Amino acid sequence: MLSQFLLFGPRAFHILDPQNLEVVLSARFDDYGFGVRHGVFAPLLGHGIFTQEGPAWKRSRELLRKQFVRTQYQNLDHFREHVDNLLACLPTSGGVVDLQPLFFKLTLDTTTALLLGRSVQSLKADNDADETNKVFARNWDIAQGGLAKRFRLAPWHFFYNTIEFRRACNSVHRFVDNYIEQRQEEKRIDGAVTDSDSFVDQLAQESESLTSLRHQLLNILLAGRDTTARLLVRHEKVMQRLQNEVKSVMGSAVHPSREQIRKMPFLTIVLKESLRLFPPVPLNNRTATRTTILPRGGGPDGSAPVLVRRGELVVFSQYVNSRRKNIYGLDANDFRPERWEKDGASTEYGWAFFPFNGGPRACLGQDFAMMEVSYTVVRLLQAIPRMDLPKGEPDNGLVGTERQRLTLVLSSADGCRIELVAVHGLNGDALKTWTSDKGNICWLSDDTLLPRYLEAATNRPIIFLCHSLGGIVVKRALAYSKSRTAAKIAHLHNIFTCTYGILFFGTPHHGSCKADMLSTLQKVVSLAVPRKVLQTDSNLVRALKEDSEILQEITDHFVPLMKDLRIFFFWEQERTDLKYTKDYVVNEASAAPSLDDTERAGIAADHRNICKFESKDSPGFRTVIAALRRYSEKAPGAVETRLARVDKAMREQRLCEAQEILH
């Protein structure tokens, strides 16, 4: 679905189709920019990650990414004090309390503690909090509210520039500048920065100036301020099931750990469903930096491409997309976490679900935000056994009919890494197989080619990249992993469980015709092994000839696994110099069989160079990177659901085995 509107200013398209969203946020990321956003946010945020583009943005993202990675390996003790303060704000003998402003204060306290090394303690504002901190929290709310108004007025944002707004921005700047100067003076006395020091200390080491450091801190503070869970007490059954899960995992323990939270799959999908219906960023936009196209929305039935001219806007809304019945079903307006329990739910919804944005600008702080929310919900459920709506509060059960307040919240960050596992072919090399001959560039380790934003997962989702016969090795390994379910070796099963996708570069899959297979294998071997070492009747070739049926057997065992994997086949479109002749080492039919639910593409390179990319303009590079982006963004949810399902099945299997022994 696509609509366009034009009252004043540039033409704008309201895009709802997930394919269009993927193009704007990921596949054609470079075709779109922020337009006037820098001017909108500059009074408060200056030149930070949310207002920057191009090389400056890339530098900021890498700078901040390293700091967020550090937080992933910390325990959750940094949440404890602030959640305790929140619980202390609740009435001890029952009564009515509005949780939303408490959640907002909680996120302000935890985020300032993370960034500055010391919290503003807004949850203690009515008690013993420092007056300076109270003033900062108050001015921060005023400044953020002003940004929200300017954002909705753009491109006429300059009309909103009240004295109160300017004073609030200046007050926030002074508070952060004073704190930075205090910290720098303390570090001069205490000594060099260590790994245990705060976010601001680490960031200061690489920031160009105090002003630059302040801008980055304020950008991240904006991201963390309003990102919080919506605890829906309207759904008693959901609440009861969640309480039971917390009790079963936590037992008598009070403070949850990361490991315990990851053992709560229902908590995860409750938060997903909350983010679906109440996304932190309900509305967003981009401006075309060059004339480009959207893949859908044109023509009588909306299936044709649409031209977007340079300077025109595309507007998208997670809030609207979350309520589309053609994506989420007839119950799209209902709060039903169970929709995420079905196999492949995350893949099915794809770009219709993007609460933390996606593509190169995927939120860097997603792990921090989700852990904060999870920790808070667990503690609340432990502390408050029963929560009900206040008397007189309307409860018609319809999501979206409750009163809501639109504020400005911009998402940032992720955390846990996607594991990209590169497997070379026969007699290949871990680096040389993926390194270009001309420029000696290994694209897998080059920051300018393999983006560092391929980060968005937990439990190590795996994406395999396989060249030539390396693909056969991976197929065999995954079939073996899938079959390992015995108690002592069940950990091997996780290799298959955590594998989300495979990119095959020139792998000879066809094993049905032994003669063709032998011919292919001879060419692969002659290419990989020096001629002085190999003769066409060598033991190696004879062994491969004898094992060709085994290769077919590997394929037979692998095919049933493909329904759980994302597969992309690449074939060579240029002949390879085999010394004595030029030929295709692996033909298209063998390298890219036409199978349902798989992707396939040719690359204008020979067998040696099909997986070597020297620049973004190298043949096939953009297709490969687009696939990796899609896979890395969708892998976390899919692997998370799969791990929960496998864990349950394993427990049931262990129980059955124990019962058989007892009987």
Side-chain angles (χ1 to χ4, degrees):
M1 179 178 178
L2 180 147
S3 59
Q4 67 180 68
F5 50 94
L6 178 63
L7 184 59
F8 299 104
R11 182 172 62 166
F13 297 90
H14 187 190
I15 60 174
L16 297 177
D17 193 297
Q19 290 186 36
N20 287 339
L21 285 165
E22 182 178 7
V23 163
V24 172
L25 296 179
S26 181
R28 291 182 180 168
F29 170 79
D30 292 333
D31 289 358
Y32 297 90
F34 281 159
V36 299
R37 181 173 297 183
H38 180 270
V40 173
F41 292 167
L44 178 63
L45 302 184
H47 304 280
I49 191 170
F50 287 141
T51 60
Q52 291 172 325
E53 298 182 85
W57 163 74
K58 290 181 180 179
R59 182 181 181 279
S60 293
R61 185 171 178 88
E62 180 60 21
L63 186 65
L64 295 171
R65 183 188 69 84
K66 291 186 290 187
Q67 307 309 321
F68 275 107
V69 167
R70 290 175 61 240
T71 68
Q72 296 170 24
Y73 301 102
Q74 298 174 358
N75 58 37
L76 305 184
D77 288 345
H78 50 282
F79 295 138
R80 180 182 299 186
E81 175 190 3
H82 310 297
V83 174
D84 285 343
N85 290 339
L86 182 148
L87 295 176
C89 294
L90 304 179
T92 57
S93 57
V96 177
V97 61
D98 186 355
L99 287 174
Q100 181 156 297
L102 295 180
F103 284 147
F104 286 174
K105 290 180 179 180
L106 172 68
T107 55
L108 179 60
D109 287 356
T110 55
T111 307
T112 51
L114 168 72
L115 296 180
L116 305 178
R118 185 172 64 200
S119 172
V120 298
Q121 301 288 4
S122 63
L123 283 166
K124 289 186 175 182
D126 296 328
N127 300 314
D128 57 351
D130 184 88
E131 181 61 30
T132 304
N133 291 342
K134 295 181 186 178
V135 173
F136 168 76
R138 192 160 53 244
N139 281 309
W140 177 254
D141 282 340
I142 294 171
Q144 184 181 255
L147 289 190
K149 293 182 177 68
R150 289 169 64 89
F151 183 74
R152 292 195 288 274
L153 284 171
W156 301 280
H157 50 277
F158 45 83
F159 284 126
Y160 185 87
N161 194 30
T162 65
I163 293 177
E164 182 185 40
F165 171 67
R166 295 199 301 273
R167 285 177 176 171
C169 291
N170 291 334
S171 176
V172 168
H173 292 172
R174 286 195 301 273
F175 176 90
V176 176
D177 287 348
N178 289 338
Y179 188 84
I180 293 172
E181 290 171 354
Q182 291 175 19
R183 290 294 298 170
Q184 289 178 339
E185 181 61 29
E186 291 171 3
K187 294 311 298 181
R188 277 193 288 269
I189 297 173
D190 296 340
V193 174
T194 66
D195 288 341
S196 61
D197 283 306
S198 67
F199 199 109
V200 64
D201 296 324
Q202 298 285 341
L203 201 58
Q205 292 292 98
E206 300 185 64
S207 295
E208 298 172 350
S209 65
L210 185 148
T211 301
S212 172
L213 177 57
R214 178 229 294 163
H215 289 168
Q216 296 293 11
L217 291 173
L218 288 175
N219 275 252
I220 299 303
L221 182 59
L222 180 68
R225 176 62 175 89
D226 278 358
T227 305
T228 187
R230 274 69 172 177
L231 190 60
L232 302 179
V233 297
R234 301 174 186 269
H235 303 273
E236 186 175 349
K237 291 183 178 179
V238 172
M239 185 69 68
Q240 185 60 54
R241 181 177 171 186
L242 189 53
Q243 286 175 325
N244 292 339
E245 183 179 74
V246 170
K247 290 177 183 177
S248 67
V249 173
M250 295 300 297
S252 59
V254 176
H255 303 287
S257 65
R258 284 179 178 270
E259 291 69 29
Q260 288 171 318
I261 287 175
R262 285 169 178 158
K263 293 178 181 178
M264 300 180 188
F266 191 67
L267 171 61
T268 300
I269 63 175
V270 166
L271 297 183
K272 273 189 175 182
E273 186 71 345
S274 297
L275 288 169
R276 181 182 74 86
L277 291 169
F278 304 102
V281 188
L283 187 69
N284 214 328
N285 64 43
R286 294 287 189 272
T287 299
T289 57
R290 60 175 71 109
T291 298
T292 184
I293 62 169
L294 295 171
R296 291 176 57 80
D301 60 355
S303 62
V306 172
L307 181 71
V308 180
R309 297 178 179 85
R310 180 181 178 181
E312 294 180 342
L313 271 67
V314 292
V315 181
F316 46 95
S317 170
Q318 172 70 86
Y319 188 91
V320 174
N321 269 40
S322 294
R323 288 156 173 77
R324 291 185 58 192
K325 295 182 179 180
N326 64 326
I327 295 176
Y328 290 98
L330 297 178
D331 62 350
N333 287 322
D334 297 338
F335 178 77
R336 190 174 66 82
E338 293 80 7
R339 75 176 73 247
W340 296 95
E341 290 182 315
K342 66 180 180 179
D343 292 345
S346 296
T347 301
E348 177 183 343
Y349 300 142
W351 281 88
F353 181 72
F354 52 100
F356 292 99
N357 213 330
R361 287 189 179 267
C363 179
L364 285 169
Q366 180 179 346
D367 178 79
F368 180 86
M370 292 303 290
M371 279 298 164
E372 177 188 18
V373 174
S374 300
Y375 184 96
T376 304
V377 170
V378 170
R379 293 291 308 281
L380 275 173
L381 293 178
Q382 290 174 314
I384 308 174
R386 182 175 177 83
M387 285 179 275
D388 299 299
L389 287 172
K391 291 182 179 180
E393 178 84 9
D395 182 17
N396 55 20
L398 296 177
V399 172
T401 60
E402 66 277 8
R403 291 186 302 118
Q404 298 181 39
R405 177 186 174 205
L406 179 62
T407 59
L408 177 67
V409 187
L410 298 177
S411 299
S412 90
D414 204 60
C416 298
R417 289 164 291 186
I418 292 283
E419 296 288 344
L420 295 181
V421 182
V423 183
H424 59 75
L426 182 65
N427 210 42
D429 182 85
L431 289 177
K432 292 180 180 178
T433 295
W434 314 93
T435 301
S436 64
D437 297 330
K438 183 178 179 181
N440 197 33
I441 295 174
C442 179
W443 66 281
L444 294 176
S445 59
D446 190 295
D447 288 352
T448 64
L449 294 180
L450 186 64
R452 289 292 168 251
Y453 45 77
L454 293 179
E455 305 170 353
T458 57
N459 277 305
R460 295 177 57 248
I462 299 171
I463 299 173
F464 282 103
L465 298 93
C466 310
H467 178 240
S468 194
L469 290 176
I472 302 299
V473 175
V474 169
K475 288 162 66 174
R476 178 68 184 94
L478 290 177
Y480 178 82
S481 170
K482 179 69 163 61
S483 66
R484 301 300 95 179
T485 59
K488 292 184 178 181
I489 57 173
H491 60 282
L492 297 176
H493 190 86
N494 263 10
I495 298 175
F496 169 74
T497 304
C498 291
T499 298
Y500 179 78
I502 311 175
L503 279 65
F504 290 107
F505 296 87
T507 294
H509 299 280
H510 240 316
S512 59
C513 176
K514 295 180 182 179
D516 287 346
M517 175 58 75
L518 176 59
S519 174
T520 296
L521 291 175
Q522 285 177 320
K523 286 184 284 187
V524 171
V525 172
S526 63
L527 178 63
V529 183
R531 294 281 297 182
K532 63 181 181 179
V533 176
L534 174 76
Q535 299 299 324
T536 54
D537 60 345
S538 69
N539 291 333
L540 178 57
V541 172
R542 287 199 298 271
L544 289 172
K545 178 180 180 181
E546 293 169 358
D547 289 346
S548 60
E549 292 184 2
I550 294 179
L551 295 177
Q552 179 62 47
E553 182 182 349
I554 291 173
T555 298
D556 292 342
H557 287 154
F558 180 73
V559 168
L561 312 184
M562 292 177 64
K563 60 182 175 57
D564 295 318
L565 304 171
R566 295 298 302 272
I567 306 292
F568 208 131
F569 299 116
F570 294 95
W571 74 87
E572 60 211 64
Q573 292 183 315
E574 294 184 0
R575 301 176 188 271
T576 300
D577 185 357
L578 301 175
K579 303 296 188 290
Y580 57 91
T581 185
K582 282 190 174 183
D583 201 355
Y584 297 110
V585 175
V586 182
N587 60 37
E588 177 183 345
S590 181
S594 298
L595 300 173
D596 293 338
D597 299 321
T598 62
E599 300 175 89
R600 57 198 305 275
I603 293 180
D606 62 21
H607 191 77
R608 285 192 185 95
N609 297 301
I610 192 174
C611 58
K612 297 179 180 181
F613 306 115
E614 186 163 331
S615 71
K616 295 179 180 179
D617 296 323
S618 297
F621 173 79
R622 297 183 188 278
T623 303
V624 171
I625 287 296
L628 287 176
R629 286 176 181 169
R630 284 187 283 111
Y631 292 2
S632 65
E633 288 155 7
K634 296 175 182 178
V639 170
E640 182 181 335
T641 301
R642 198 183 301 167
L643 283 167
R645 185 177 69 248
V646 170
D647 183 62
K648 180 181 178 181
M650 289 291 190
R651 287 199 305 269
E652 292 175 350
Q653 182 176 329
R654 298 290 92 82
L655 180 61
C656 291
E657 291 170 353
Q659 290 174 341
E660 288 179 3
I661 293 173
L662 292 175
H663 294 330

